Amino acid sequence: MPKARELALRALSHRDRSRRELELRLERAGVSSEERDEALDELAAAGLLSDARFAEARARGLAAKNGSDSLIRNDLRRHGIDRVEIAEILEGLEDEAERAARIFERRGGGDRALRYLAAKGFSRESLDRLIDDSVC
Protein backbone atom coordinates (compact mmCIF):
# COMPACT_ATOMS: atom_id res chain seq x y z
CA MET A 1 0.00 0.00 0.00
CA PRO A 2 2.84 2.50 0.51
CA LYS A 3 3.36 2.47 -3.26
CA ALA A 4 -0.33 3.19 -3.88
CA ARG A 5 -0.46 5.96 -1.29
CA GLU A 6 2.76 7.51 -2.59
CA LEU A 7 1.55 7.51 -6.21
CA ALA A 8 -1.82 8.99 -5.24
CA LEU A 9 -0.23 11.68 -3.07
CA ARG A 10 2.14 12.62 -5.86
CA ALA A 11 -0.80 13.07 -8.24
CA LEU A 12 -2.72 15.08 -5.64
CA SER A 13 0.27 17.35 -5.00
CA HIS A 14 -0.31 18.96 -8.41
CA ARG A 15 -4.09 19.48 -8.17
CA ASP A 16 -7.27 17.97 -6.79
CA ARG A 17 -8.34 14.83 -8.60
CA SER A 18 -11.41 12.65 -8.49
CA ARG A 19 -11.32 9.24 -6.88
CA ARG A 20 -11.99 7.63 -10.27
CA GLU A 21 -9.07 9.49 -11.83
CA LEU A 22 -6.73 8.24 -9.12
CA GLU A 23 -8.11 4.70 -9.35
CA LEU A 24 -7.29 4.63 -13.05
CA ARG A 25 -3.78 6.00 -12.45
CA LEU A 26 -3.08 3.40 -9.80
CA GLU A 27 -4.52 0.62 -11.95
CA ARG A 28 -2.21 1.64 -14.84
CA ALA A 29 0.70 1.54 -12.37
CA GLY A 30 -0.14 -2.09 -11.57
CA VAL A 31 -1.54 -1.52 -8.08
CA SER A 32 -4.01 -4.21 -6.99
CA SER A 33 -7.67 -3.41 -6.46
CA GLU A 34 -7.46 -3.95 -2.69
CA GLU A 35 -4.41 -1.72 -2.36
CA ARG A 36 -6.05 1.01 -4.45
CA ASP A 37 -9.22 0.97 -2.38
CA GLU A 38 -7.34 0.96 0.91
CA ALA A 39 -5.02 3.81 -0.07
CA LEU A 40 -7.82 5.96 -1.51
CA ASP A 41 -10.09 5.33 1.49
CA GLU A 42 -7.22 6.40 3.75
CA LEU A 43 -6.64 9.60 1.76
CA ALA A 44 -10.37 10.38 1.74
CA ALA A 45 -10.58 9.87 5.52
CA ALA A 46 -7.66 12.27 5.95
CA GLY A 47 -9.45 14.87 3.81
CA LEU A 48 -6.85 14.77 1.06
CA LEU A 49 -9.19 13.20 -1.50
CA SER A 50 -12.66 14.64 -1.98
CA ASP A 51 -14.84 14.16 -5.04
CA ALA A 52 -17.10 16.97 -3.83
CA ARG A 53 -14.22 19.44 -3.55
CA PHE A 54 -12.79 18.32 -6.89
CA ALA A 55 -16.16 18.59 -8.65
CA GLU A 56 -16.96 22.02 -7.22
CA ALA A 57 -13.59 23.46 -8.22
CA ARG A 58 -13.69 21.79 -11.64
CA ALA A 59 -17.21 23.08 -12.37
CA ARG A 60 -16.37 26.63 -11.30
CA GLY A 61 -13.21 26.57 -13.40
CA LEU A 62 -15.03 25.35 -16.49
CA ALA A 63 -17.82 27.89 -16.01
CA ALA A 64 -15.20 30.64 -15.71
CA LYS A 65 -13.76 29.45 -19.04
CA ASN A 66 -17.17 29.90 -20.70
CA GLY A 67 -18.28 26.30 -20.28
CA SER A 68 -21.95 25.40 -20.64
CA ASP A 69 -23.87 23.23 -18.20
CA SER A 70 -23.70 20.41 -20.73
CA LEU A 71 -19.92 20.69 -21.06
CA ILE A 72 -19.52 20.78 -17.26
CA ARG A 73 -21.91 17.86 -16.74
CA ASN A 74 -20.10 15.69 -19.29
CA ASP A 75 -16.69 16.55 -17.89
CA LEU A 76 -17.71 15.70 -14.33
CA ARG A 77 -19.31 12.42 -15.44
CA ARG A 78 -16.08 11.52 -17.21
CA HIS A 79 -14.29 12.05 -13.88
CA GLY A 80 -16.68 9.68 -12.07
CA ILE A 81 -18.83 12.22 -10.25
CA ASP A 82 -22.36 10.97 -9.67
CA ARG A 83 -25.42 12.58 -11.28
CA VAL A 84 -26.97 13.82 -8.03
CA GLU A 85 -23.79 15.63 -7.02
CA ILE A 86 -23.46 17.10 -10.52
CA ALA A 87 -27.02 18.43 -10.37
CA GLU A 88 -26.33 20.08 -7.00
CA ILE A 89 -23.15 21.67 -8.27
CA LEU A 90 -24.84 23.02 -11.41
CA GLU A 91 -27.57 24.56 -9.24
CA GLY A 92 -24.87 26.44 -7.34
CA LEU A 93 -23.40 27.97 -10.50
CA GLU A 94 -24.58 31.05 -12.32
CA ASP A 95 -27.65 30.18 -14.39
CA GLU A 96 -26.61 28.98 -17.86
CA ALA A 97 -28.80 31.53 -19.64
CA GLU A 98 -27.27 34.36 -17.60
CA ARG A 99 -23.78 33.01 -18.26
CA ALA A 100 -24.57 32.82 -21.99
CA ALA A 101 -25.90 36.41 -22.00
CA ARG A 102 -22.78 37.68 -20.23
CA ILE A 103 -20.46 35.87 -22.65
CA PHE A 104 -22.56 36.95 -25.65
CA GLU A 105 -22.30 40.58 -24.60
CA ARG A 106 -18.59 40.35 -23.81
CA ARG A 107 -17.91 38.83 -27.24
CA GLY A 108 -19.75 41.66 -28.99
CA GLY A 109 -23.03 39.88 -29.75
CA GLY A 110 -24.09 38.78 -33.21
CA ASP A 111 -23.87 35.54 -35.13
CA ARG A 112 -20.23 34.95 -34.35
CA ALA A 113 -20.86 35.08 -30.60
CA LEU A 114 -23.84 32.73 -31.03
CA ARG A 115 -21.69 30.22 -32.92
CA TYR A 116 -19.08 30.43 -30.17
CA LEU A 117 -21.71 29.68 -27.52
CA ALA A 118 -23.15 26.82 -29.56
CA ALA A 119 -19.68 25.32 -29.92
CA LYS A 120 -19.28 25.52 -26.13
CA GLY A 121 -22.44 23.44 -25.74
CA PHE A 122 -24.90 26.07 -24.55
CA SER A 123 -28.48 24.87 -24.72
CA ARG A 124 -30.84 25.75 -27.53
CA GLU A 125 -33.06 27.54 -24.97
CA SER A 126 -30.19 29.80 -23.86
CA LEU A 127 -29.31 30.64 -27.46
CA ASP A 128 -32.95 31.21 -28.43
CA ARG A 129 -33.33 33.65 -25.55
CA LEU A 130 -30.32 35.63 -26.81
CA ILE A 131 -31.71 35.67 -30.34
CA ASP A 132 -35.13 36.81 -29.10
CA ASP A 133 -33.58 39.54 -26.92
CA SER A 134 -31.38 40.86 -29.74
CA VAL A 135 -34.28 40.98 -32.23
CA CYS A 136 -36.43 43.10 -29.92
Side-chain angles (χ1 to χ4, degrees), residues 60-129:
R60 292 202 182 285
L62 291 170
K65 292 179 180 177
N66 302 337
S68 66
D69 285 358
S70 175
L71 182 142
I72 295 166
R73 185 179 300 108
N74 291 336
D75 183 82
L76 293 178
R77 277 188 199 147
R78 195 173 65 248
H79 282 92
I81 307 303
D82 85 22
R83 293 173 188 270
V84 173
E85 194 164 352
I86 291 171
E88 291 172 4
I89 289 169
L90 289 174
E91 284 179 26
L93 294 177
E94 177 185 22
D95 180 67
E96 184 185 68
E98 293 171 10
R99 197 173 336 131
R102 181 177 44 76
I103 296 165
F104 181 77
E105 186 70 30
R106 192 175 62 225
R107 295 188 67 87
D111 290 344
R112 194 171 190 175
L114 286 171
R115 283 192 302 275
Y116 173 82
L117 291 168
K120 287 289 196 170
F122 280 86
S123 69
R124 180 75 181 170
E125 294 80 22
S126 295
L127 298 177
D128 285 344
R129 184 185 286 179

